Amino acid sequence: HVRASDRGDRRDDDALMTSKPASSKSAGKRAAEARGRDAGGGGGGAFAKWLRDNKVELDGVEVARFARTGRGVRATRDLRVGEVVVSVPDDAVLTVDACAVKKELGEFVGDGDDEAPSPRLDKELLVIAVMCEMCAGKSSAWCEYLETVHEAVRVGHSVLAWDDEQVTALFGTDAWRDAYENDDETLDLPMMTEEHFENVVTLFFKLFPKLASGLSVEALRELHFAATAMVAGYSFTLGDDEIQAMVPFWDMLNHAPPCEASVRLHHDQKNGCLQMITVRGVKKGEEVFNTYGPLRNAELLRRYGFVLPRNPHGGTTVGLAEVIQAAMGANPLVVDELPLRLAWLESRGLADEELSTRFFVHRTGRPSDKLLIAMRLLTLKPEEMTALIEADFDDEEQLMLLEGNDEERTEQSYMVGASLQFLGMYAKSRYAESMKASRLTYQMYASVSPHVQKHESIYRAWAAAVVRMDEQRALTKLGRWTYHPGRSEDALLHAWPFPVADEDETAPMMCEPVEG
């Protein structure tokens, strides 16, 4: 299983302990210019030599530049289905276990600890490994490879690189929330980047100051932003153990939606190499695409620094606080029993004490099942809420009675529908610009190239408009979905869920298969 998610002043080592940090935005602007897997760089002669020296085999493909996507991979001959076009030896892959500072990273997290590192820490350790390899310069075994990735990062458009004015255009979007506010450690990078520099990276280099090569705190901050962008945009998650890794040349392929990808990724255990195998024919001269997954534009922009104007994957999320506000718009009496109702939702895994739970709205406007359950619960009459609390969920007859008679179901569906209407209106007010303004920006700058430096701000304004429009459209369609003439009561009244099982009884998480 495989899943695609400048040095500053030199001072003495003591400066690492005393320098004052710069703001994350200014640091990101100067050095963390991220992603652009579809932009910049070119895979120069040094990198080509590095690939040969490390026995990375290319058969029918090469790095090239394209007018639409920038740097990518081109077929040098007609490719047939099932061909191995890229083969990367395991020992050419950069992981925490393969890097030059494996021992120091092990000491940092504590090899003997019983408690497993968090998913976020696993990713941060690879970021630190990349930083140390870059600090080592020419003595690093991955020097020419990392220089190529770093060059692409400098001309990319990760949100880490946006200045304060540019990033304001993302306010209210899922891209903004996940990059700057969401502390969910299962999220892919970048997220809470500044906090992790202060609480993880700084501590590591205080323990091992020589690995910083004399860089000041501010210079390390800039390098951390760049390394975070590199890991966010270029690393892969490998195997059932979900090992985070930088895989040379694999990361040169640009993204296409899953149904349009040219290759699949495979680990050949017998020969100890990672392979790229074609899943469709590609004509000579055409671009060869990988897929980063069925990602919305908010995720593509946050993690990789680009958007797709015709992305088949869309939608947005709404917060529990917004859902409560909408329910109170339809049923003001909710406020009297709000703690009780939130406790019930929490027992079903649909709420939390911080009100940070989020619910998905599909690009078609269809609310997720969890959103429908939460909205139905919040708009129940007090006597209906009492019956729900007292119900024995092991008694099928009681469960049937909970669903109510025709009159009760009609009233409940009306309340859920009205609340969803309010939700669409409230949620659309969270954005920096209206739908009309977003559409105007999109139309004005639709032809701007992400690869021209002087158009940097314009492209970012356009990309932000694409993300806003995707989310605003979903919220607009939420209202239409609710009162579609063919919408039945059953579509609005999702069945009541059973209580969430104890944590030790839940099934283990499975990694997502990629190979078809």
Side-chain angles (χ1 to χ4, degrees), residues 129-197:
V130 169
M131 292 177 68
C132 291
E133 295 291 345
M134 294 175 72
C135 285
K138 294 296 182 183
S139 65
S140 168
W142 287 273
C143 175
E144 291 80 5
Y145 163 58
L146 292 178
E147 284 180 349
T148 300
V149 176
H150 192 198
E151 174 60 27
V153 156
R154 279 199 293 264
V155 297
H157 297 283
S158 164
V159 294
L160 290 178
W162 294 27
D163 62 30
D164 290 340
E165 182 177 354
Q166 292 167 348
V167 83
T168 298
L170 286 174
F171 187 77
T173 66
D174 289 340
W176 165 284
R177 186 174 302 102
D178 289 343
Y180 300 114
E181 296 178 349
N182 198 336
D183 60 358
D184 180 359
E185 297 214 343
T186 64
L187 275 179
D188 286 293
L189 300 178
M191 49 82 67
M192 306 298 285
T193 306
E194 181 68 24
E195 288 77 3
H196 276 267
F197 176 78

Side-chain angles (χ1 to χ4, degrees), residues 120-131:
R120 179 63 172 84
L121 182 58
D122 285 343
K123 298 180 179 69
E124 193 63 60
L125 292 180
L126 182 58
V127 171
I128 295 174
V130 169
M131 292 177 68

Side-chain angles (χ1 to χ4, degrees), residues 59-61 73-85 262-263 278 280-284 286-288:
D59 184 4
V61 293
V73 171
R74 176 173 60 200
T76 59
R77 58 176 175 80
D78 289 350
L79 303 178
R80 302 184 305 276
V81 176
E83 289 194 64
V84 177
V85 293
S262 312
V263 298
T278 52
R280 65 179 67 247
V282 183
K283 295 294 185 182
K284 179 180 179 179
E286 292 181 346
E287 185 168 4
V288 182

Side-chain angles (χ1 to χ4, degrees), residues 49-110:
K49 181 179 184 301
W50 185 91
L51 291 173
R52 291 193 299 271
D53 291 346
N54 286 273
K55 297 180 173 55
V56 176
E57 297 178 4
L58 310 180
D59 184 4
V61 293
E62 65 180 1
V63 176
R65 290 195 62 83
F66 299 87
R68 183 175 65 88
T69 56
R71 189 189 67 187
V73 171
R74 176 173 60 200
T76 59
R77 58 176 175 80
D78 289 350
L79 303 178
R80 302 184 305 276
V81 176
E83 289 194 64
V84 177
V85 293
V86 182
S87 181
V88 182
D90 289 349
D91 57 10
V93 176
L94 176 55
T95 65
V96 170
D97 285 340
C99 73
V101 293
K102 173 185 176 181
K103 177 183 176 183
E104 289 83 353
L105 289 171
E107 292 178 13
F108 180 61
V109 298

Side-chain angles (χ1 to χ4, degrees), residues 380-400:
L380 287 177
K381 294 179 179 178
E383 59 271 22
E384 293 171 334
M385 185 67 208
T386 299
L388 180 62
I389 292 173
E390 295 177 350
D392 180 358
F393 271 67
D394 292 326
D395 188 327
E396 292 186 12
E397 185 176 346
Q398 287 194 40
L399 289 179
M400 291 180 63

